[in-house]
């Protein structure tokens, strides 16, 4: 074992610039994976990741590389997600690294998350290896990208390595740069154990498996280890690495990255960002922790069947293990019963959470439209945080409401500057700055209400720039806004889970649109159902769902048996994600309808 020959690095990129493909080529050229075992995007192991073509969870693999200096090096490659919602996951993995390969698509150039990721890497003092990818394409503009990297980030053009992750061209140069530029891990094997937990997951046989980077000391099978934040003590039953196959080994020492199994059954004792040390000879201090993350959006998550509440809770806890940014608390809704209010980093994070609950844990869910966290100043001087529109205090008790704003960075070809500004303006944005990155690309900065970004901002941005604009944001501060709570009444009963907040100027328009939308979404029933949108006791919009005509049903009776079956089948399927509220059956889409009203 030679610590000087270990290299811990990750790959960072804007989404679709080729990070997973480059990881595949690195795996292949270090012979870590047999050609016949090779499938595309080896590291993207969750089904969801392959389907959506994005990397959600980070993975680590240990690779051997025979370098041109004749020596063999050990690489620990830690993959990171590229989407704006997962900046936190990126920062977790970067804390375990000494270097980062920065991938930039030669046909696209710098994008919003290219910048965000580079800033994170610099924050972690990482050596950056700039790689310009997709040079096999005719539209590749290597010189142009080099120039903008120099101008925007001070990266010297001589340092850039031009590659094609698809054909493998230039990959050898990347591997050599890892050897020559990324420093070896600096830890000391003689010091008390300090191992950083940068990820963890739940295995039904072995319990919680933390993934660690050993900063100092050595960890062996049979050791009594202690979690420094929770003080819980466990005995290591097994430990190992990924090659990418799981491989048990005898120990992990300073500089090593791997997994630890210690029959850990209590999920809440393991925190990503915590430090593992020895029970007998503990380290004085934990490694610098990660910053606590504040969720950006909150949504109600309810079981369709009330009986599934406990199993839903159990599943959410298991997801939280590998998703440290998730926050949840119990909540009750008069319409939906017992459930949870869950905090997310963004919309994609929320969607993925829902899909994982459904697919991996077989949960049948109703989720409510996401909301941001509002600060409400009451007339009696109290300050309350409201993460659920249904909980908004009565109007006459409110002095003012503040909502979170973000600083949004949008990068776009200059043909679309007008379109971008129009959308930002419409979304109550405050113009801050505009910079030319090159003759053809512009960086625009707006301060905008987070709630407006949730409501269909990304889709609009994409469609009005033919998909060329990229976007990133960070929380800036709270600003006072003139907001109204809109209640939705079905059959004259308010449905708390459908309430939402909106800026005064949009209230009437959104109220009307949601009534129309609900009319289309909620299936007809045997009686007429009035739908109303109201602010306080004032109704601002209304529609009606007409009663089902009797003859539609009667046709099915006695008639064609297959058709009847089909109808029943259809009803059963539809039922899966319906919730009876009073006497009205509301399908899942209804709760999300406020999101796509434009
Ligand atoms: P990621 O989102 O950064 O992980 O990007 P992927 O590795 O999933 O790549 C995005 C798309 O670009 C995929 O369709 C890849 O096949 C394609 N791609 C990646 N690298 C190259 C390359 O060097 N040349 C070409 N032509 N396509 C590439
Ligand atoms: Mg990927």
């Amino acid at each position: 074992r030679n610590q000087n020959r270990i290299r811990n690095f990750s790959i960072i990129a804007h989404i679709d610039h080729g990070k997973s493909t480059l990881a595949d080529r690195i795996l292949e050229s270090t012979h870590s994976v047999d050609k016949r075992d090779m499938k595309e995007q080896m590291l993207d192991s969750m089904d969801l990741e392959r389907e959506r073509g994005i990397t959600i969870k980070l993975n680590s693999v240990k690779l051997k590389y025979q370098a041109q200096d004749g020596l063999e090096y050990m690489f620990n490659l830690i993959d990171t997600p590229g989407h704006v919602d997962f900046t936190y996951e990126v920062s977790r993995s970067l804390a375990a690294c000494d270097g980062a390969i920065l991938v930039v698509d030669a046909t696209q150039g710098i994008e919003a998350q290219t910048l965000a990721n580079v800033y994170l890497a610099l924050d972690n003092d990482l050596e950056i290896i700039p790689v310009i990818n997709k040079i096999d394409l005719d539209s590749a503009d290597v010189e142009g990208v080099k120039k903008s990297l120099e101008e925007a980030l001070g990266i010297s053009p001589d340092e850039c390595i031009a590659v094609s992750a698809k054909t493998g061209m230039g990959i050898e140069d990347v591997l050599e740069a890892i050897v020559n530029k990324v420093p070896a891990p600096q830890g000391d094997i003689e010091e008390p154990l300090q191992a950083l937990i940068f990820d963890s997951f739940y295995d039904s046989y072995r319990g919680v498996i933390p993934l660690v980077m050993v900063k100092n000391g050595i960890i062996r099978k049979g050791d009594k280890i202690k979690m420094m934040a929770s003080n819980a003590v466990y005995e290591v039953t097994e430990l190992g690495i990924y090659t990418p196959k799981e491989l048990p080994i005898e120990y992990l020492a300073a500089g090593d990255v791997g997994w630890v199994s210690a029959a850990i059954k209590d999920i809440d004792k393991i925190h990503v960002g915590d430090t593992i040390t020895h029970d007998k000879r503990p380290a004085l201090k934990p490694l610098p922790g990660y910053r606590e993350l504040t969720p950006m959006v909150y949504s109600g998550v309810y079981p369709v069947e009330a009986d599934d509440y406990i199993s839903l809770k159990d599943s959410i806890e298991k997801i939280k293990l590998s998703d440290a940014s998730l926050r949840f608390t119990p909540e009750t809704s008069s319409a939906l019963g017992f459930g949870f209010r869950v905090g997310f980093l963004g919309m994609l994070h929320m969607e993925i959470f829902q899909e994982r609950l459904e697919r991996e844990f077989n949960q049948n869910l109703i989720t409510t439209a996401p909301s941001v966290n509002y600060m409400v100043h009451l007339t009696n001087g109290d300050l309350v945080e409201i993460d659920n529109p249904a909980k908004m205090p009565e109007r006459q008790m409110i002095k003012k409401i503040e909502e979170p704003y973000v600083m949004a960075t949008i990068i776009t070809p200059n043909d679309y500057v007008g379109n971008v500004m129009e959308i930002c303006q419409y979304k109550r944005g405050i113009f801050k700055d505009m910079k030319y990155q090159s003759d053809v690309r512009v960086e625009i900065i707006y301060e905008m209400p987070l709630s407006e970004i949730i409501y269909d901002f990304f889709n609009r941005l994409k469609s009005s720039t033919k998909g060329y604009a990229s976007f990133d944001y960070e929380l800036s501060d709270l600003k006072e806004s003139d907001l109204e709570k809109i209640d939705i009444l079905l059959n004259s009963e308010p449905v708390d889970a459908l309430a939402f907040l909106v800026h005064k100027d949009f209230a009437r328009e959104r109220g009307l649109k949601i009534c129309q939308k609900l009319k289309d979404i909620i299936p007809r029933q045997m009686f007429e159902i009035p739908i109303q949108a109201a602010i306080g006791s004032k109704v601002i919009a209304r529609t009606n769902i007409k009663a089902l005509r009797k003859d539609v049903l009667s046709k099915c009776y006695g008639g064609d048996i297959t058709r009847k079956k089909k109808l029943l089948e259809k009803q059963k399927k539809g039922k899966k994600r319906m919730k009876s509220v009073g006497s009205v059956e509301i399908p899942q889409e209804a709760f999300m309808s406020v999101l796509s009203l434009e």
Side-chain angles (χ1 to χ4, degrees), residues 252-305:
L252 293 168
D256 288 341
V257 175
W259 51 270
V260 176
S261 174
I264 304 170
K265 295 296 177 196
D266 15 32
I267 288 173
D268 57 330
K269 296 289 194 293
I270 305 300
H271 306 290
V272 165
D274 193 7
T275 301
I276 297 180
T277 192
H278 279 130
D279 187 34
K280 282 281 147 54
R281 189 187 165 221
L284 287 177
K285 277 195 309 202
L287 295 164
Y290 297 95
R291 67 200 152 99
E292 266 290 301
L293 270 204
T294 15
M296 298 267 201
V297 294
Y298 296 80
S299 154
V301 177
Y302 292 83
V304 170
E305 302 293 338

Side-chain angles (χ1 to χ4, degrees), residues 15-16 18-21 41 44 53-55 79-80 82:
I15 197 151
D16 278 347
K19 186 186 59 218
S20 299
T21 312
Q41 314 217 322
D44 296 348
I54 54 172
T55 309
D79 198 16
T80 59

Side-chain angles (χ1 to χ4, degrees), residues 13-22 40-41 44 53-55 79-80 82 103 105 133-137 163-168:
H14 187 80
I15 197 151
D16 278 347
H17 281 204
K19 186 186 59 218
S20 299
T21 312
L22 179 65
E40 256 179 64
Q41 314 217 322
D44 296 348
I54 54 172
T55 309
D79 198 16
T80 59
V103 180
D105 185 329
N133 188 31
K134 307 198 188 179
I135 57 169
D136 57 294
L137 294 174
V163 310
S164 166
K166 189 173 175 186
T167 67

Side-chain angles (χ1 to χ4, degrees), residues 80-295:
T80 59
H83 190 273
V84 49
D85 281 7
F86 298 102
T87 309
Y88 176 69
E89 304 255 334
V90 178
S91 72
R92 287 201 282 161
S93 63
L94 293 186
C97 295
D98 301 297
I101 299 176
L102 169 69
V103 180
V104 183
D105 185 329
T107 69
Q108 304 292 320
I110 296 177
E111 303 275 8
Q113 268 112 60
T114 313
L115 294 176
N117 284 326
V118 170
Y119 298 147
L120 280 176
L122 294 174
D123 274 352
N124 282 286
D125 285 329
L126 302 192
E127 186 64 42
I128 292 174
I129 300 175
V131 166
I132 300 175
N133 188 31
K134 307 198 188 179
I135 57 169
D136 57 294
L137 294 174
D138 289 339
S139 49
D141 175 16
V142 178
E143 289 315 309
V145 173
K146 278 185 183 172
K147 202 169 147 222
S148 60
L149 279 172
E150 182 169 31
E151 281 164 14
L153 293 163
I155 290 172
S156 151
D158 309 332
E159 290 178 62
C160 296
I161 306 171
V163 310
S164 166
K166 189 173 175 186
T167 67
M169 198 192 328
I171 300 301
E172 188 77 17
D173 296 338
V174 177
L175 297 172
E176 285 297 313
I178 294 166
V179 168
N180 296 318
K181 290 178 67 180
V182 177
Q186 293 303 307
D188 186 346
I189 195 169
E190 304 296 337
E191 292 274 307
L193 176 66
Q194 282 178 309
L196 174 71
I197 305 178
F198 65 89
D199 198 1
S200 67
F201 63 91
Y202 190 85
D203 178 300
S204 37
Y205 297 105
R206 297 175 298 171
V208 184
I209 308 283
L211 304 186
V212 301
M213 196 280 291
V214 182
K215 182 79 186 142
N216 289 304
I218 181 163
I219 177 169
R220 290 192 167 84
K221 230 156 105 171
D223 284 359
K224 284 245 162 53
I225 52 169
K226 186 164 85 175
M227 309 295 141
M228 294 190 81
S230 64
N231 275 318
V233 175
Y234 300 96
E235 183 177 321
V236 178
T237 49
E238 209 179 23
L239 41 75
I241 54 173
Y242 292 103
T243 67
K245 286 199 191 83
E246 200 175 283
L247 183 72
I249 54 171
E250 287 305 308
Y251 65 88
L252 293 168
D256 288 341
V257 175
W259 51 270
V260 176
S261 174
I264 304 170
K265 295 296 177 196
D266 15 32
I267 288 173
D268 57 330
K269 296 289 194 293
I270 305 300
H271 306 290
V272 165
D274 193 7
T275 301
I276 297 180
T277 192
H278 279 130
D279 187 34
K280 282 281 147 54
R281 189 187 165 221
L284 287 177
K285 277 195 309 202
L287 295 164
Y290 297 95
R291 67 200 152 99
E292 266 290 301
L293 270 204
T294 15

Side-chain angles (χ1 to χ4, degrees), residues 21 23-28 33-42:
T21 312
D24 285 353
R25 283 300 85 64
I26 292 179
L27 256 59
E28 206 177 72
V33 186
D34 278 353
K35 259 261 156 54
R36 70 191 139 85
D37 286 343
M38 192 76 201
K39 34 187 178 176
E40 256 179 64
Q41 314 217 322
M42 277 300 291

